[in-house]
Amino acid sequence: MKSPGKAVIAGIAAIAMAGAFAGCSAGADASGKVELRVGTFPPGADAAAYEAFEAQEKQFEEDHPDIDVIGLEYEWEGPTFAVQLAGGSLPDVFTVPFTDSKTLLENGQLMDVTDEIDELGYTDSFNPVILDGVTDADGRIYGFPRQAYAMGLHYNRDLFEQAGLDPDDPPQTWDEVRAAAKQIAEKTGKAGYAQMAINNTGGWQLTAATAARGGSIQTDDGDGGYEATLDNDGTKAALQFLHDVRWEDNAFGAKFDLDWGTINQEFAAGNLGMYTSGSDVYTALVRDFGMKPEQYGLTVIPLDGDEAGTLGGGDIAVISPSVDDATKAAAVEWIDWYYMQKLLDEDAAKLDAKTLADSDQAVGTPLLPVLSRELYEESLVWIEEYINVPRDQMTPFIDRIWEQTPVGEPKGKTQEVYALLDPVVQAVLTDRNADIDALLAQADADAQALLDQ
């Protein structure tokens, strides 16, 4: 999943909301231009984010005078996607998490862009592991991977200092995370560590914690299907860790119903010492949740065991399957210009970075390359003068992430399996005597039933 949901947009809220209910794209508008509805920031983004997009919108339209870009507020929510698609309220261009792409393309809910990607010359440029997420059994491609991340441990430098911890030397093992969480809770009265637990994010983060301990909640059965393996030692250890932080150390805090948005709110407000999420979340923390940059710290997620790895993810720019040919062509132009060129072209990278920096938007947030590591690191050199995020406070992540083995998210019934794990996480956090073995045994059986469908 993606550090979930990016998408919103434009400059004029009235136009954005009107477009959100305009139905399927009708191609050309009254001026003869192709009207293209695009989504980018989630609702709640600050005014500077809209200003930055408005500047980019103008730049694109100067280069493409036959296309009229209309920005829409949009936030990805898997449970409501089908309703939005059926009702015609989706943007023409939007992003979806890697975790949902396979299901969506198999359901015919994404536009085939194989020929367009080939024509642009990107097919052989993408990281093949990432491209697999939008490729069907016949080799057809249904989206443009545009951003990837690895799981990281995010921490509040102010709370570290208040608790007598060194913010430049964050925990490197789960035992050290637990000890730091307890010290933060005792010294500051704030939650030392918390974890997402609802809206499928509990399952997502439990899967990440499992991978970090060498386990996996799912394996390929070798015959085109998947075998549920939720009941494994890595998942048990991850749940035992949550139990101990909550019940033995009293360091978890009092909120056990956090998801991606609410845990970010708690962290940005200074109420939380540490949590795990995608390495790209800094942008949202500052832009959408008002966190002060000087408070932020990022390190790699601790790994335990020979098979341990860091769960990765990201999102994909896709096109609604309901658009006409003219709108599809315009959508490909937009995706190439807005998302892809800055990854490949120095001039495009500098223009994008300058535009964002001029509007006080984050430039230089740590990511994983959707193309090659060499290209990614070269792009950082291109935009060096515009980087405005405190990368020195992210050094523990930047220096160590390449040493960790990336692990992809499970592909079979991903969100449904995550949903099964949410109540397991909640039970451990709300019932001191929760039977972890029994909870996982039942969740494993339920997951296998889903995978067998």
Side-chain angles (χ1 to χ4, degrees), residues 113-124 126 131 134 141-145 317 332:
V113 291
T114 309
D115 296 340
E116 289 76 11
I117 286 181
D118 282 344
E119 185 176 345
L120 289 167
Y122 292 145
T123 307
D124 295 331
F126 284 118
L131 190 63
V134 284
I141 302 170
Y142 289 82
F144 291 73
V332 171

Side-chain angles (χ1 to χ4, degrees), residues 98-99 102-103 106 132 203 206-208 210-211 214-222 224-235 311 407-421 440 443-444 446-453:
F98 286 168
T99 44
K102 281 289 190 184
T103 300
E106 289 169 357
D132 178 67
L206 182 57
T207 300
T210 296
S216 174
I217 69 166
Q218 187 180 107
T219 59
D220 189 327
D221 67 7
Y226 302 95
E227 179 182 352
T229 56
L230 283 67
D231 191 6
N232 68 81
D233 290 343
T235 305
L311 193 73
V407 176
E409 293 187 73
K411 296 179 181 177
K413 303 286 185 180
T414 309
Q415 294 299 332
E416 293 95 326
V417 174
Y418 284 171
L420 289 175
L421 287 170
L440 285 179
D444 192 75
D446 293 342
Q448 191 61 58
L450 277 174
L451 294 169
D452 288 341
Q453 291 176 3

